[in-house]
Amino acid sequence: MAEAERTGRGIALEDLTGIRARVRLRKPQRATHSSWSFAQLGDFIAYKARKAGVPVVHVDAAYTSRTCAECGYIDKANRASQARFVCRSCGVVAHADWNGSRNIRHRAEELWRCGVQSTAPDPPPNTGRGTGRKRSTTASGARCASPGL
């Protein structure tokens, strides 16, 4: 967040809507996968970004792990392993996550060029209270306190 704020850049996130329905997992992996809170993490990032004045955009994640960030060639075989990306067209070799993140960045840049606005929600209005502990509400509705920043 600080890097994006300092450099005047934005944050691009994958739109993971419906990921649980799209992904097939072995039984031992299901509990771990289902306990991930993609939406909550995205909400936290968007909230913090909005407070810092950093734009956020959600991009379509389709084929980002199969697409070469250099030449744009798409092939399932490009993903040589979980961690390794090897383009079957131009021969680029890269870490698979790094290649995918470059594709996400390219998609976000294209959206911003087309005039898409940030998806970060507006921060709540400042009530002018003291500078003590900041309070927030958890998913269950419980209130929690954290030290002031």
Side-chain angles (χ1 to χ4, degrees):
M1 191 74 55
E3 180 76 9
E5 185 178 11
R6 184 180 63 75
T7 60
R9 295 185 178 170
I11 296 174
L13 300 172
E14 288 179 307
D15 181 3
L16 297 174
T17 304
I19 191 169
R20 286 183 177 87
R22 293 192 313 254
V23 177
R24 286 190 229 151
L25 300 169
R26 292 185 180 102
K27 194 170 184 175
Q29 297 170 316
R30 290 180 193 151
T32 303
H33 179 70
S34 294
S35 67
W36 294 348
S37 181
F38 301 115
Q40 186 178 31
L41 176 61
D43 290 346
F44 287 159
I45 291 170
Y47 172 77
K48 293 268 190 182
R50 183 64 180 197
K51 265 185 105 165
V54 173
V56 174
V57 68
H58 287 81
V59 301
D60 183 7
Y63 304 106
T64 53
S65 65
R66 298 177 181 183
T67 303
C68 178
E70 290 296 319
C71 71
Y73 179 71
I74 302 171
D75 190 342
K76 187 175 183 177
N78 283 348
R79 190 73 183 258
S81 69
Q82 181 67 26
R84 190 166 182 214
F85 181 90
V86 180
C87 181
R88 303 295 183 218
S89 178
C90 70
V92 165
V93 177
H95 190 282
D97 289 340
W98 181 76
N99 181 74
S101 69
R102 289 184 62 209
N103 288 322
I104 292 166
R105 181 186 72 196
H106 293 314
R107 290 180 184 186
E109 288 170 345
E110 184 62 31
L111 288 173
W112 279 316
R113 265 195 299 275
C114 293
V116 171
Q117 297 297 311
S118 175
T119 58
D122 288 329
N126 188 351
T127 58
R129 294 186 187 168
T131 60
R133 293 159 86 54
K134 299 195 187 299
R135 300 203 177 269
S136 61
T137 305
T138 64
S140 65
R143 295 189 51 91
C144 59
S146 61
L149 300 175

